[in-house]
Amino acid sequence: EAQVTQNPRYLITVTGKKLTVTCSQNMNHEYMSWYRQDPGLGLRQIYYSMNVEVTDKGDVPEGYKVSRKEKRNFPLILESPSPNQTSLYFCASSFPGDTQYFGPGTRLTVL
Amino acid sequence: KQEVTQIPAALSVPEGENLVLNCSFTDSAIYNLQWFRQDPGKGLTSLLLIQSSQREQTSGRLNASLDKSSGRSTLYIAASQPGDSATYLCAAPNDYKLSFGAGTTVTVRA
């Protein structure tokens, strides 16, 4: 089944404790992206990747890191999480210019 | 920067009525526009993708139109059903970035 998976689905952590949210797709998509969704602010793009070893900033990259060492995986790293990073995070993938497929989301709470 | 606006923010209609959802974008140099559906607490499901060379795209009861020159797209849902209740989002690209509207939350009353 074609899908985008994210782990964990739910995470509660404390300020400053490094964490990684994994994202994996099985559709051989070149393009992958991370978004955060906040009430009243909608979906905002954090980082995206056009292919292996090619990443670039979206609209809200501060406080986040990404890497793309393999085509299927695109982890999101929060090296020192803060409460303002409490949000619902989505990973997505696609062929360039084609339909984006979204993962189920990761709900992160930073205390 | 691509700015995407969706009007109205919320819509409530009786079952059977046709729905019209509007999306406007500021940068008309887009190569496509996408419409998504999001159920509460869930991920986004792609409904329709319209390429810049197309004027409209249809899937079942859904029809989306695209007018690049005016910076507008419209999603039509025919003969609405309670199962159509969800938030509908449109997304327009700017180079390799993607900007989303805030969405229109639809309630279809039985």
Side-chain angles (χ1 to χ4, degrees), chain A residues 31 37 45 90 97 99-100, chain B residues 32 34 38 43 46 96-98:
Chain A
Y31 185 91
Q37 186 174 36
Q45 194 169 33
F90 290 103
T99 300
Q100 289 225 347
Chain B
N32 63 35
Q34 299 182 57
Q38 185 176 28
S46 178
Y96 299 112
K97 297 182 183 180
L98 194 62

Side-chain angles (χ1 to χ4, degrees), chain A residues 31 35 37 43 45 48 50 57-59 90 97-100 102-104 107, chain B residues 1 31-32 34 36 38 41-44 46 49 51 89 96-100:
Chain A
Y31 185 91
Y35 302 87
Q37 186 174 36
L43 268 159
Q45 194 169 33
Y48 63 93
M50 292 301 298
K57 297 176 181 178
D59 292 322
F90 290 103
D98 208 343
T99 300
Q100 289 225 347
F102 278 74
R107 189 169 292 280
Chain B
K1 183 178 184 290
Y31 47 86
N32 63 35
Q34 299 182 57
F36 295 88
Q38 185 176 28
K42 300 290 177 75
L44 279 71
S46 178
L49 170 74
Q51 300 291 353
L89 300 108
Y96 299 112
K97 297 182 183 180
L98 194 62
S99 295
F100 281 81

Side-chain angles (χ1 to χ4, degrees), chain A residues 9-80:
Chain A
R9 295 289 313 281
Y10 303 89
L11 179 60
I12 300 174
T13 189
V14 295
T15 298
K17 186 176 181 182
K18 182 179 178 179
L19 66 92
T20 299
V21 184
T22 64
C23 173
S24 183
Q25 51 92 6
N26 62 1
M27 295 169 277
N28 203 35
H29 287 160
E30 288 90 356
Y31 185 91
M32 297 186 75
S33 184
W34 277 102
Y35 302 87
R36 61 178 289 175
Q37 186 174 36
D38 303 286
L41 295 175
L43 268 159
R44 293 176 293 167
Q45 194 169 33
I46 304 170
Y47 269 96
Y48 63 93
S49 169
M50 292 301 298
N51 214 323
V52 175
E53 303 291 2
V54 182
T55 63
D56 207 348
K57 297 176 181 178
D59 292 322
V60 288
E62 294 76 20
Y64 303 94
K65 283 178 58 176
V66 293
S67 68
R68 186 94 181 269
K69 293 183 169 53
E70 303 167 284
K71 198 171 188 179
R72 63 183 293 124
N73 296 323
F74 190 44
L76 179 69
I77 303 157
L78 285 73
E79 297 217 321
S80 184

Side-chain angles (χ1 to χ4, degrees), chain B residues 93-110:
Chain B
N94 181 12
D95 291 331
Y96 299 112
K97 297 182 183 180
L98 194 62
S99 295
F100 281 81
T104 295
T105 298
V106 171
T107 302
V108 181
R109 308 186 304 271

Side-chain angles (χ1 to χ4, degrees), chain B residues 43-77:
Chain B
L44 279 71
T45 301
S46 178
L47 296 174
L48 290 167
L49 170 74
I50 313 173
Q51 300 291 353
S52 61
S53 58
Q54 298 174 308
R55 294 297 298 265
E56 63 179 59
Q57 188 71 258
T58 298
S59 176
R61 294 183 294 112
L62 276 59
N63 174 275
S65 66
L66 175 62
D67 185 343
K68 281 182 56 178
S69 61
S70 67
R72 293 181 183 178
S73 178
T74 302
L75 178 66
Y76 302 90
I77 304 177

